[in-house]
Amino acid sequence: MKTAAVRGFRDILPEESALWQMLVTQARTSFAAYGFSEIIVPILEKTDLFARAIGETTDIVEKEMYTFPDRDESSLTLRPEGTASVIRAYIEHSLHQKEPVSKLFYIGPMFRRERPQKGRYRQFHQIGAEILGRDDPLIDAELLLMLHDFFVALQLEVTLDINSLGCPTCRPGYREQLRAFGESKLAALCEDCHSRLNRNPLRLLDCKKDGCRQATAQAPALADSLCDPCRTHFTSVQERLRQEQVRIVVNPRLVRGLDYYCRTSFEILAEGLGSQNAVCGGGRYDGLVEQLGGPAIPGIGFAIGVERLAMLIQAQNRDFATPPEVFIAPLGAAAEHQAFAVARRLRSSGYRVELESGGRGLKAQMRRADKLAARHVLILGEDELAAGKGTVRDMQTKTDRPMSVDLSLATPDLMNAIRNAGN
Ligand code: ATP
Ligand code: MG
């Protein structure tokens, strides 16, 4: 009997992992340009961390976490998101005492027990970034510019939806207004919205059901209730982004699922992903560090869903394979022996070399070299071997005048000879 992977957990096979490598490398490059450093935090945390950070009444904490008792009965949870762990580490290691502003990014798997579907898995991956230490609009704009640059570097055109969620001064009043509005539309709202109404009325705005969307179309907008400091902050963030030609759309219905967000909130929605169309979400969370037992330090961050990002890139049909530079095709046992040594020599100098063994004929080997898209084939035949030579075929120009190279050349010279053969 075969054992399959757990539902909602998937393998990333080599044909896809090349694309993933490209994404991750690009993130590291784009983020380094903005002075970010990588933080690597554990996948497992005490359950209490997520309950406190994300909020007891969120879908994630109520229904979606992989939580289990450890052998000593303490409760552990596979992380459903990255920010809580980053903040925990930030507090635990007093990073705020080491630098006034910390710019951190992370890459790794997250776990949520949701209903698996296209673009939604139970283990998925995020690339996330956080700036901790300051709350001025310049910081928000800088983070969003970095995000924008990352997407541009990937040749993806995206629009940033942004909104302000206000702060503890102005949001409670708005919540109350929205709750009262919801009460007046009760009959038109779905069951989920009924329970949202008391627990977290802001979530009425992001219900995906048509009936609810219609019912809340005329709901009061948070933007009209912002206090002066929140309004100034929001305007300033938008100005800076527009100044840098970042495409932004103010979306008054944008509220985020996690309790900890305040002020600037944003999302990147992409076409072509179906209903799982959010590739990135994030926002400011000025009370979170304190809520988790640290000093009152503001922060802002985002998380990009790698699976959904990979789907967008796949739709571009770009090729990210790294084919071998040299495919060595030995003919006969003695040649195989020699091929082994030559391959080792080239590989240890950093060249990508594919070595065929198993005594197959030249035709079969050439077919395989073609399939792998190898740039050059080095054929080692028994007769030439005695003379310490091999034959090179250029697979791109398909030159039918294969050239002979001297295997005793020093490694860089040998590689040059292989590359120049046939020219
Ligand atoms: P959604 O509305 O799609 O459930 P979310 O608001 O729960 O997204 P966040 O918690 O903000 O998502 O996480 C940031 C990003 O992580 C999302 O924009 C999305 O690209 C990705 N993501 C979230 N949940 C999943 C999942 N179950 N499978 C794959 N990617 C996911
Ligand atoms: Mg979700």
Side-chain angles (χ1 to χ4, degrees):
M1 203 180 75
K2 285 185 280 189
T3 303
V6 175
R7 180 166 142 84
F9 288 62
R10 56 193 282 276
D11 302 305
I12 296 147
L13 299 178
E15 58 203 53
E16 198 182 345
S17 67
L19 189 160
W20 276 59
Q21 281 311 321
M22 183 282 289
L23 288 177
V24 166
T25 305
Q26 185 58 57
R28 293 202 161 102
T29 309
S30 295
F31 297 178
Y34 282 79
F36 280 66
S37 321
E38 185 162 0
I39 181 165
I40 303 172
V41 286
I43 286 172
L44 207 57
E45 297 274 2
K46 292 177 187 158
T47 303
D48 166 64
L49 173 68
F50 301 114
R52 283 165 66 197
I54 301 172
E56 299 273 8
T57 63
T58 53
D59 282 356
I60 292 182
V61 173
E62 278 188 342
K63 310 190 270 220
E64 297 172 358
M65 295 203 304
Y66 282 94
T67 296
F68 56 91
D70 196 0
R71 288 174 190 276
D72 66 3
E73 298 304 314
S74 59
S75 180
L76 299 178
T77 294
L78 284 173
R79 64 179 184 197
E81 55 108 56
T83 303
S85 303
V86 173
I87 309 284
R88 198 249 329 118
Y90 178 82
I91 298 169
E92 192 168 334
H93 303 285
S94 303
L95 293 188
H96 61 281
Q97 286 174 358
K98 298 177 183 145
E99 51 197 11
V101 174
S102 299
K103 300 183 189 173
L104 304 166
F105 76 90
Y106 59 86
I107 296 175
M110 306 293 159
F111 305 85
R112 296 182 193 175
R113 202 173 191 292
E114 306 189 72
R115 189 168 74 79
Q117 48 198 299
K118 184 177 170 229
R120 190 176 296 285
Y121 310 98
R122 290 180 170 179
Q123 176 179 324
F124 62 99
H125 296 74
Q126 287 184 337
I127 298 177
E130 322 282 350
I131 305 184
L132 290 142
R134 293 220 329 254
D135 65 357
D136 55 287
L138 198 90
I139 294 284
D140 305 38
E142 195 180 12
L143 185 81
L144 288 167
L145 273 175
M146 177 173 91
L147 185 60
H148 174 260
D149 286 359
F150 173 59
F151 278 86
V152 169
L154 293 175
Q155 300 171 33
L156 289 170
E157 279 227 4
V158 292
T159 304
L160 208 58
D161 274 28
I162 95 170
N163 194 16
S164 174
L165 295 186
C167 67
T169 308
C170 52
R171 195 163 45 195
Y174 174 72
R175 264 173 86 108
E176 216 23 67
Q177 264 186 50
L178 193 60
R179 208 187 51 73
F181 176 85
E183 294 286 358
S184 75
K185 303 279 177 189
L186 212 53
L189 298 176
C190 71
E191 221 166 275
D192 284 343
C193 281
H194 284 184
S195 72
R196 285 180 185 127
L197 202 53
N198 289 314
R199 294 188 326 186
N200 191 356
L202 258 61
R203 300 300 315 269
L204 291 180
L205 298 176
D206 80 342
C207 182
K208 307 280 187 291
K209 300 202 179 70
D210 283 341
C212 297
R213 293 191 79 87
Q214 274 166 21
T216 56
Q218 303 301 324
L222 183 47
D224 300 330
S225 302
L226 293 179
C227 59
D228 284 342
C230 282
R231 191 186 309 278
T232 312
H233 185 275
F234 191 34
T235 311
S236 170
V237 174
Q238 291 177 60
E239 272 168 5
R240 285 175 196 283
L241 292 173
R242 293 216 169 90
Q243 195 181 312
E244 297 300 325
Q245 273 82 46
V246 178
R247 287 207 316 210
I248 54 172
V249 171
V250 176
N251 174 359
R253 297 185 80 97
L254 193 160
V255 294
R256 307 272 314 138
L258 313 186
D259 275 357
Y260 55 55
Y261 288 112
C262 65
R263 290 198 167 170
T264 314
S265 293
F266 51 91
E267 218 162 49
I268 294 178
L269 304 177
E271 282 165 36
L273 289 179
S275 48
Q276 271 56 251
N277 62 349
V279 257
C280 172
R284 182 160 275 296
Y285 46 77
D286 291 345
L288 185 60
V289 180
E290 201 174 10
Q291 191 179 311
L292 292 180
I297 287 176
I300 182 168
F302 64 73
I304 300 168
V306 182
E307 282 77 3
R308 294 184 196 175
L309 187 58
M311 283 162 69
L312 290 176
I313 308 269
Q314 269 159 351
Q316 299 174 329
N317 286 320
R318 282 152 64 192
D319 186 10
F320 300 101
T322 40
E325 290 158 284
V326 185
F327 181 99
I328 306 186
L331 304 171
E336 267 186 23
H337 198 76
Q338 176 90 353
F340 193 79
V342 175
R344 159 79 179 128
R345 203 142 71 77
L346 293 174
R347 285 167 171 168
S348 62
S349 295
Y351 301 110
R352 291 189 305 276
V353 176
E354 187 61 31
L355 176 61
E356 176 84 11
S357 64
R360 295 208 296 165
L362 184 59
K363 234 181 173 169
Q365 298 204 48
M366 292 306 275
R367 264 201 306 274
R368 174 135 189 276
D370 231 356
K371 194 169 170 215
L372 293 174
R375 183 69 173 81
H376 300 94
V377 176
L378 175 63
I379 303 162
L380 303 185
E382 301 275 345
D383 335 335
E384 292 170 296
L385 219 55
K389 297 205 179 243
T391 299
V392 177
R393 188 161 293 173
D394 186 321
M395 300 297 280
Q396 202 161 12
T397 60
K398 287 277 157 64
T399 171
D400 49 4
R401 283 189 303 120
M403 304 296 282
S404 188
V405 297
D406 188 345
L407 298 179
S408 65
L409 289 171
T411 303
D413 296 333
L414 175 59
M415 194 61 205
N416 278 334
I418 292 173
R419 283 178 173 157
N420 294 326
N423 287 340

